[in-house]
Amino acid sequence: MTPLNRKLWRELRQNAGAMVAVVVIAAFGAGSYVGMGSAQRILEASQAAYYRDYRFADFWIDVKKVPLTTVERLAERDGIAALQARIVFDVILDLPAQTRPINGRLISFPERRDDTTLNDLYLIRGSGFSTDRDEEVIISDAFARQHDLHPGDRIHLILNRRREAFTVAGTCVSPEYVYLVRGAGDLIPDPEHFGVLYIKERFARDVLDFQDAANNIVGRYTDISAAQRTALLDDIERRLEPFGVFDAIQRERQASHRFLSDEINGLRVSARVTPVVFLAVAAMALSVLLRRLVERQRITIGTLKAVGYSNAVLFNHYVRFGLFVGLLGGLAGCLVGLGLCHALIDVYRDFYHFPRYLMRTYPDLMLHGILISLAFAVLGALRGARRVLKLQPAESMRAKPPEKGKAILLERWQWLWRRLDFKTHLALRDVFRNKGRTLSGIVATALAGSIMIMTFSFFDAALYMVAFQFEHTMRGNATIGMRDARNTEALQEGRALPAVLFAEPTFGIVCDLRHGRFSRRQAIVGLTEDHLLTMPRHQDLTPINIPAEGLLLSEKLASLLQVEPGDTLELKPIRGRPEPRSAYVAGTVDSFIGLDCYASLSYLSDVVGEPASVTGIQALIDDHQRPAFFEQIKQLPNAQALSLNRDAQQSIEGTFVRSLRFSLGTMILFAGVIGCGSLINLATVEIGDRTREISTLRVLGYQPTEIAGIYLRQNAILFGLGLILAVPMGYGLVLLLARAYDTELFRMPVIFRWTAVAWPLLISCCFIVIAQWVVYYKIRRLDWLAGVQVKE
Amino acid sequence: MITTTTAPIRIENASRIFQMGDLEVPALVDANLEVEQGEFVVILGPSGSGKSTLLNLIGGLDRPTAGHVWFQERDLTALSDEDLTRYRRESVGFVFQFYNLVPTLTALENVQVATELVQEPLDAAAALELVGLAERAAHFPAQLSGGEQQRVSIARALAKRPDVLLADEPTGALDLQTARVVLGTMQQLNREQALTIVLITHNPALAALADRRVQITSGRIVDVVRNEAPAAAADIDW
Ligand SMILES: Nc1ncnc2c1ncn2[C@@H]1O[C@H](COP(=O)(O)OP(=O)(O)OP(=O)(O)O)[C@@H](O)[C@H]1O
Ligand SMILES: [Mg+2]
């Protein structure tokens, strides 16, 4: 080893505390890159393999009833690789252990699946359909686990007014329900209240009166372009018009696929942004560290230059600190990344169901992780070591110019200054004199604080979003989905149910809305003019009454269609495809989940040219009479779904809290690493600089705790200023996040509560305590007897 | 000068052996010394002879590996780290060769660093006055000469009203002229306030100031000489 390298090595060890702090920050940077990147690739690979091997469909069409012969003819068309006709029904289930009815989606599935079956099932437990019995059912595995159902168990379904007993033949996952939701309106899978049930195709036809017919078509395209796909689906839709098309969607709009793809995309963005934050902080900390090191070693550097070391060699020597930190950070980052990836995938396992997660390590990601960690660290080192080049041997070999003793601005305010003790004087002067150091401390703490503020606000926003939907917009406590009933008999039935205190009908119809070149397929919900139980609102909760005429659009929908109140839309119901009609926009409302479009029942039935029917009932039920209500609703022939808004809200909140707790934990850890790491680094550098002073104070009789008090004051000042800055920064991040999450599926309201600031403040205090503890430990361990005698 | 009460500082058979791996460095061997109240003791010896080691034992900065150090009936060797620290803050004033002032504190504030530590300190400004630097109170160390800085450091030591003032080469970094002023200040304090002073130096000329001169060579106290007529600081020369 050359003497310079030996010097490097010893100094790395001498500055171990600060170095470790920087390495940890860098490791989290590289680690978040490797971890999030790996998790993203694992999700992507698992998704791709699953879709391919289990033949995930490219499009879905819901129709009222279409003859199989028609479907067979469509299958012949160019561009169609495979087409399958299915029967899909939403039903209310009667599970023995559950008093409340559960929503199920019944899907017909071939008795003997083969290598062409689309949306094929992967059996987790059980052996699948047998040949002996017709009444068999394969159920979603998550649903089965939630309800403790096992192969061989019996459950009851009400099909076509007949109560039938089924045997569970297996539990499964399907590419169609990787994310087990009914539709895009469900934010989060709720396997306690929703499951998919597959029954034998032939049996389904018999019992549901679909002889030689189907109500759902799924298909795959051959290798054709996106434009051709759109045209083809449009054309198929047109041909199916006589059979009553409810909806036709491409894969991009399929709920499970959308949620999964959004997650993958989100992860991809996080895997780029998070490392940059960490590594920038690490580079900043390293630059401060090196600047001080160079400053402290100016005599050495001058001497070495005088002896004949070149600028390049010396500069290189200091930059090696960066190489070392970057390399170590990168390597440690690989480990952090593996841990993070596994933790993420463990969380994903609860939400996204694949037959298998294709776990892999990605050496290229690790290599990149190490490289970016190196790059940032070297950048930081370059900045920090710049002064090496400027030092002139003659000048720097003379003893260090005495430290500038100059009054800081605050001292002008003598009245205050005199009331402060010398520890505060010291702390304040150091803070104001070392601007670079102070700035980097403030930036790091502001970053740490704002990350936490953002996370806590995210939490608040998520809960607000759910409350807005389930408490303020849907004000009843039960929503009953009805099979399209052409008369008001359904409403009467609903009202007559026990426990129903109040009930209101809704009429939903899917239409194509068009405004210029913007168009959207959207369900329009008709409400009675005196509606009470469905109450659209503005974000500030002002209720908005349905106008007698015109449509009420959610802001997001209005912006997608580029319309404003007063504009006219072209509206075309899908069913029957009558001539397009025009409807005008009467106003906009806020909504955070999905897209909404409301109209009054009479206006809507006018515009779509058919009498209003009842597709849903919003009801207020008496909680004490729930059991009786549940008993009856299971028997109600037209009821196909029941959601209990309070239950749904609680279950979504529960899941939110659970999954957000993970992000919250991660974010606090991240913030802690950034905050504590930077503070420890700064304080360690400072202690290194001030060895002589600290030693003198120790000799004079100061206890380590009292000296640590000086650094506590400094850290408190940095933290205080940092946190003050963190509030607007956090607010900015909240706005950014709200913009980032502004999708059709859901939007994040901007919520900024005092608690979201108070918690980070409290947690930051813990960070100070941790940093302070390290400082105290270092001061305690300082060899002050040696320190007091060194000559500058 | 010997009084009936026991001397405030007593060193009994004290040794300090540094363990450097396998090597033992006997920095101080079997030293015995008593320092009387109000005495001005100069410890003289070549570099590496163990002067600082001895002073560190007296000042409670270090403990002997054998023997005892007594301070007013208290055995310093038996004290915990905390108690030693308390001893230093209450009883000892230090003056260092390189002043060891805090560069970011003014002269006055540097003295306040000491006054904060004790119950009944001298007024910081008064301490500066004693060393003749009242009008430089608001200056930072960088704005003071070496001698002035050393006087601030003496003021800092004095302000605590210590029982004993320990000075390790206080004039080591000063020219003769300045050294005279600094030593004069110390002598004056010794005479007017009966402050006990232990000063170490390798400069034999300073021995003339002392009531007693302790010669130390290779870790052993080889000679103790009483000086009945100490010279005035202004007459010192080298
Ligand atoms: N911490 C230590 N570890 C090892 N050896 C030490 C230590 N401190 C002092 N020594 C050794 O003890 C001996 C006496 O040292 P000391 O510092 O007391 O000498 P000194 O008389 O004060 O010299 P100087 O006039 O140069 O300050 C020296 O040989 C020194 O090397
Ligand atoms: Mg010495």
Side-chain angles (χ1 to χ4, degrees):
Chain A
M1 229 196 296
T2 66
L4 270 190
N5 279 341
R6 212 168 286 143
K7 166 179 180 296
L8 173 78
W9 185 239
R10 292 213 182 109
E11 279 159 12
L12 282 171
R13 289 221 312 246
Q14 273 165 15
N15 292 292
M19 287 295 170
V20 166
V22 182
V23 167
V24 168
I25 303 175
F28 269 77
S32 55
Y33 177 82
V34 174
M36 290 171 171
S38 305
Q40 175 229 323
R41 287 213 201 159
I42 288 170
L43 275 186
E44 225 163 24
S46 306
Q47 180 194 37
Y50 194 23
Y51 283 5
R52 182 189 64 231
D53 297 344
Y54 289 79
R55 294 169 294 279
F56 185 46
D58 288 326
F59 60 91
W60 284 253
I61 305 167
D62 279 326
V63 286
K64 187 144 185 152
K65 196 170 194 175
V66 57
L68 291 183
T69 47
T70 310
V71 178
E72 273 156 26
R73 238 175 299 130
L74 287 175
E76 308 284 296
R77 299 193 47 153
D78 276 351
I80 300 292
L83 211 59
Q84 256 157 37
R86 311 192 297 182
I87 301 160
V88 178
F89 265 103
D90 281 348
V91 292
I92 291 177
L93 305 174
D94 183 8
L95 293 182
Q98 293 285 328
T99 50
R100 62 156 290 185
I102 306 293
N103 296 307
R105 176 161 298 161
L106 221 52
I107 300 180
S108 66
F109 192 77
E111 264 134 288
R112 277 199 210 84
R113 54 155 298 281
D114 58 32
D115 289 347
T116 60
T117 308
L118 299 183
N119 298 332
D120 200 1
L121 302 182
Y122 172 84
L123 285 176
I124 305 267
R125 287 178 287 162
S127 48
F129 292 140
S130 71
T131 45
D132 353 323
R133 262 187 312 253
D134 275 345
E135 297 89 347
E136 285 185 331
V137 63
I138 300 174
I139 57 182
S140 318
D141 188 62
F143 177 75
R145 269 185 285 129
Q146 194 63 240
H147 291 282
D148 200 25
L149 290 170
H150 305 277
D153 287 355
R154 291 169 80 73
I155 58 173
H156 292 91
L157 303 177
I158 298 162
L159 301 177
N160 223 355
R161 300 182 189 234
R162 290 216 309 272
R163 188 179 150 93
E164 308 258 4
F166 283 80
T167 306
V168 175
T171 70
C172 68
V173 293
S174 154
E176 217 177 344
Y177 294 98
V178 171
Y179 195 71
L180 186 57
V181 288
R182 270 184 295 184
D186 287 358
L187 273 191
I188 279 186
D190 182 7
E192 200 186 334
H193 302 125
F194 174 70
V196 183
L197 303 94
Y198 299 88
I199 59 173
K200 291 184 174 180
E201 198 166 60
R202 197 167 40 78
F203 179 72
R205 291 195 208 299
D206 289 349
V207 75
L208 295 168
D209 286 335
F210 270 77
Q211 254 74 32
D212 299 317
N215 69 354
N216 178 264
I217 300 170
V218 294
R220 271 164 73 100
Y221 299 114
T222 55
D223 208 3
I224 56 175
S225 72
Q228 286 170 308
R229 290 175 180 215
T230 314
L232 185 53
L233 189 61
D234 266 0
D235 190 50
I236 294 177
E237 205 180 321
R238 215 159 10 249
R239 276 165 203 273
L240 289 173
E241 259 169 34
F243 308 104
V245 178
F246 293 120
D247 205 355
I249 57 167
Q250 305 280 12
R251 183 190 276 191
E252 289 64 42
R253 282 189 55 210
Q254 203 263 343
S256 160
H257 174 79
R258 264 166 84 176
F259 279 108
L260 177 56
S261 305
D262 278 2
E263 187 63 45
I264 292 173
N265 287 333
L267 212 45
R268 187 175 294 129
V269 175
S270 303
R272 300 221 163 106
V273 177
T274 324
V276 173
V277 173
F278 275 104
L279 291 173
V281 172
M284 204 165 66
L286 189 65
S287 133
V288 169
L289 184 68
L290 278 184
R291 195 150 61 224
R292 301 317 279 287
L293 196 67
V294 168
E295 197 54 51
R296 237 183 292 162
Q297 299 188 341
R298 57 201 305 282
I299 297 180
T300 313
I301 295 167
T303 313
L304 289 173
K305 280 191 180 179
V307 169
Y309 280 91
S310 71
N311 260 342
V313 168
L314 287 173
F315 190 60
N316 177 21
H317 169 67
Y318 285 94
V319 170
R320 271 182 207 202
F321 281 91
L323 279 175
F324 180 83
V325 165
L327 193 65
L328 211 62
L331 290 172
C334 291
L335 292 180
V336 171
L338 288 181
L340 179 63
C341 172
H342 277 94
L344 280 170
I345 296 293
D346 271 350
V347 172
Y348 285 139
R349 279 182 209 278
D350 276 352
F351 292 94
Y352 301 95
H353 303 293
F354 293 106
R356 257 169 355 105
Y357 273 84
L358 300 177
M359 297 306 283
R360 261 196 59 191
T361 49
Y362 293 92
D364 60 322
L365 281 182
M366 292 191 179
L367 188 69
H368 291 162
I370 294 173
L371 286 179
I372 54 171
S373 164
L374 268 175
F376 273 91
V378 168
L379 271 177
L382 286 174
R383 255 194 82 77
R386 269 177 322 178
R387 280 216 47 150
V388 172
L389 301 177
K390 290 202 202 112
L391 286 176
Q392 294 302 316
E395 167 218 7
S396 64
M397 264 198 308
R398 257 184 286 129
K400 189 177 165 193
E403 227 174 306
K404 275 171 257 123
K406 243 180 59 198
I408 57 170
L409 219 56
L410 203 68
E411 289 177 49
R412 301 241 178 100
W413 199 7
Q414 279 292 328
W415 176 85
L416 177 72
W417 188 253
R418 270 199 232 111
R419 272 162 186 75
L420 302 172
D421 63 354
F422 89 93
K423 290 182 204 158
T424 314
H425 289 175
L426 259 184
L428 280 170
R429 290 219 182 97
D430 271 357
V431 162
F432 283 102
R433 292 223 181 106
N434 304 310
K435 300 224 168 53
R437 192 190 76 100
T438 301
L439 208 65
S440 86
I442 292 176
V443 168
T445 46
L447 217 56
S450 57
I451 288 175
M452 287 194 287
I453 290 176
M454 172 192 81
T455 314
F456 277 96
S457 295
F458 190 85
F459 214 104
D460 289 341
L463 294 183
Y464 182 86
M465 177 170 92
V466 175
F468 188 88
Q469 180 83 359
F470 290 98
E471 272 171 35
H472 302 301
T473 304
M474 296 155 74
R475 299 172 71 211
N477 49 10
T479 306
I480 309 165
M482 306 297 278
R483 226 151 264 142
D484 210 350
R486 290 255 156 192
N487 46 37
T488 50
E489 170 196 315
L491 181 61
Q492 298 310 330
E493 273 177 18
R495 285 205 172 124
L497 287 172
V500 172
L501 304 173
F502 189 67
E504 245 171 45
T506 57
F507 167 42
I509 180 164
V510 180
C511 298
D512 279 328
L513 300 179
R514 183 179 295 280
H515 177 246
R517 58 200 173 83
F518 305 99
S519 75
R520 247 334 77 186
R521 181 159 292 177
Q522 171 70 34
I524 304 178
V525 178
L527 303 174
T528 53
E529 268 168 62
D530 53 355
H531 63 108
L532 282 174
L533 295 187
T534 303
M535 189 57 78
R537 289 171 192 272
H538 281 311
Q539 184 176 347
D540 63 9
L541 299 184
T542 334
I544 295 159
N545 280 305
I546 294 290
E549 309 226 306
L551 303 172
L552 213 49
L553 269 56
S554 58
E555 287 282 358
K556 180 70 183 174
L557 181 60
S559 81
L560 286 169
L561 289 170
Q562 296 280 309
V563 290
E564 280 172 18
D567 288 350
T568 304
L569 282 171
E570 186 186 294
L571 176 152
K572 195 161 72 167
I574 296 182
R575 190 160 51 194
R577 291 255 167 181
E579 284 305 294
R581 305 164 184 244
S582 67
Y584 79 96
V585 180
T588 60
V589 298
D590 281 315
S591 81
F592 302 107
I593 302 178
L595 301 174
D596 293 320
C597 180
Y598 300 100
S600 78
L601 270 177
S602 53
Y603 179 77
L604 186 57
S605 97
D606 242 23
V607 162
V608 301
E610 64 172 272
S613 52
V614 177
T615 57
I617 297 174
Q618 282 281 326
L620 195 62
I621 59 169
D622 179 355
D623 273 326
H624 299 295
Q625 297 186 52
R626 275 177 151 214
F629 171 74
F630 292 156
E631 233 12 83
Q632 291 293 310
I633 193 125
K634 291 172 190 169
Q635 317 295 336
L636 206 63
N638 285 324
Q640 60 173 358
L642 169 73
S643 22
L644 297 169
N645 301 341
R646 234 36 93 233
D647 291 14
Q649 182 182 3
Q650 271 166 20
S651 111
I652 291 183
E653 277 173 2
T655 317
F656 261 149
V657 169
R658 233 179 332 117
S659 68
L660 283 181
R661 200 173 284 152
F662 174 80
S663 356
L664 202 63
T666 318
M667 285 303 184
I668 290 175
L669 179 68
F670 283 9
V673 166
I674 290 177
C676 285
S678 309
L679 280 194
I680 290 173
N681 174 54
L682 291 179
T684 316
V685 168
E686 185 73 14
I687 290 171
D689 262 12
R690 303 255 172 236
T691 304
R692 184 186 180 76
E693 269 167 57
I694 295 169
S695 303
T696 307
L697 292 177
R698 290 285 280 131
V699 170
L700 290 181
Y702 278 88
Q703 303 280 11
T705 39
E706 294 171 304
I707 300 171
I710 299 172
Y711 294 92
L712 180 62
R713 284 167 172 79
Q714 269 184 30
N715 279 345
I717 294 169
L718 294 187
F719 240 94
L721 292 175
L723 288 176
I724 290 172
L725 204 64
V727 176
M729 267 172 72
Y731 187 72
L733 286 178
V734 169
L735 291 180
L736 247 146
L737 207 65
R739 186 167 294 176
Y741 278 103
D742 188 354
T743 68
E744 285 174 46
L745 289 177
F746 65 96
R747 291 160 297 285
M748 276 283 159
V750 174
I751 303 286
F752 202 66
R753 298 215 171 104
W754 68 270
T755 46
V757 176
W759 276 110
L761 278 177
L762 211 69
I763 295 170
S764 300
C765 290
C766 300
F767 295 167
I768 298 194
V769 169
I770 294 172
Q772 195 55 31
W773 187 82
V774 174
V775 167
Y776 171 73
Y777 179 77
K778 291 210 72 106
I779 291 175
R780 226 202 137 82
R781 280 215 8 214
L782 188 85
D783 185 1
W784 47 273
L785 199 46
V788 79
Q789 286 171 4
V790 288
K791 191 178 182 312
E792 294 274 314
Chain B
M1 279 279 288
I2 304 260
T3 57
T4 45
T5 55
T6 48
I9 300 166
R10 281 183 296 132
I11 296 155
E12 268 177 24
N13 305 330
S15 295
R16 178 66 171 98
I17 294 167
F18 291 103
Q19 198 73 41
M20 306 279 288
D22 288 342
L23 197 70
E24 288 194 340
V25 181
L28 191 68
V29 183
D30 207 21
N32 283 286
L33 182 69
E34 296 190 352
V35 178
E36 304 294 339
Q37 171 60 42
E39 210 181 1
F40 193 145
V41 175
V42 169
I43 298 174
L44 196 63
S47 182
S49 55
K51 305 184 296 290
S52 295
T53 307
L54 180 62
L55 198 75
N56 289 348
L57 295 184
I58 299 173
L61 299 170
D62 198 8
R63 294 189 184 83
T65 39
H68 295 272
V69 178
W70 297 86
F71 180 81
Q72 294 175 344
E73 311 308 322
R74 258 195 305 175
D75 184 357
L76 299 185
T77 39
L79 295 185
S80 68
D81 280 353
E82 249 87 275
D83 289 335
L84 266 187
T85 305
R86 199 159 305 125
Y87 159 67
R88 289 201 303 272
R89 81 199 281 171
E90 284 161 8
S91 309
V92 189
F94 283 98
V95 177
F96 307 92
Q97 180 174 0
F98 300 109
Y99 336 127
N100 291 17
L101 297 179
V102 182
T104 49
L105 293 180
T106 62
L108 186 70
E109 287 164 347
N110 263 294
V111 177
Q112 282 166 345
V113 168
T115 55
E116 289 236 332
L117 280 171
V118 287
Q119 293 295 331
E120 288 174 1
L122 280 186
D123 178 50
L128 275 182
E129 181 113 46
L130 271 180
V131 298
L133 285 175
E135 73 284 5
R136 313 301 297 271
H139 289 196
F140 285 94
Q143 299 162 329
L144 298 171
S145 75
E148 285 164 340
Q149 289 188 52
Q150 192 60 299
R151 277 146 70 203
V152 173
S153 130
I154 293 172
R156 177 175 65 183
L158 281 180
K160 294 202 294 188
R161 298 181 191 275
D163 296 305
V164 56
L165 184 74
L166 304 180
D168 192 341
E169 296 279 13
T171 55
L174 303 176
D175 60 52
L176 177 60
Q177 204 51 45
T178 320
R180 283 185 185 142
V181 177
V182 169
L183 291 168
T185 308
M186 291 176 78
Q187 195 168 46
Q188 187 189 354
L189 289 165
N190 171 253
R191 295 212 173 130
E192 292 173 7
Q193 325 241 338
L195 181 65
T196 311
I197 297 179
V198 179
L199 182 152
I200 59 182
T201 179
H202 59 260
N203 184 351
L206 298 194
L209 293 171
D211 294 323
R212 220 153 31 122
R213 187 189 86 181
V214 177
Q215 178 69 43
I216 185 167
T217 310
S218 304
R220 287 171 197 277
I221 295 179
V222 291
D223 194 16
V224 180
V225 179
R226 188 164 297 284
N227 181 2
E228 296 300 345
D235 302 334
I236 296 287
D237 199 1
W238 65 76

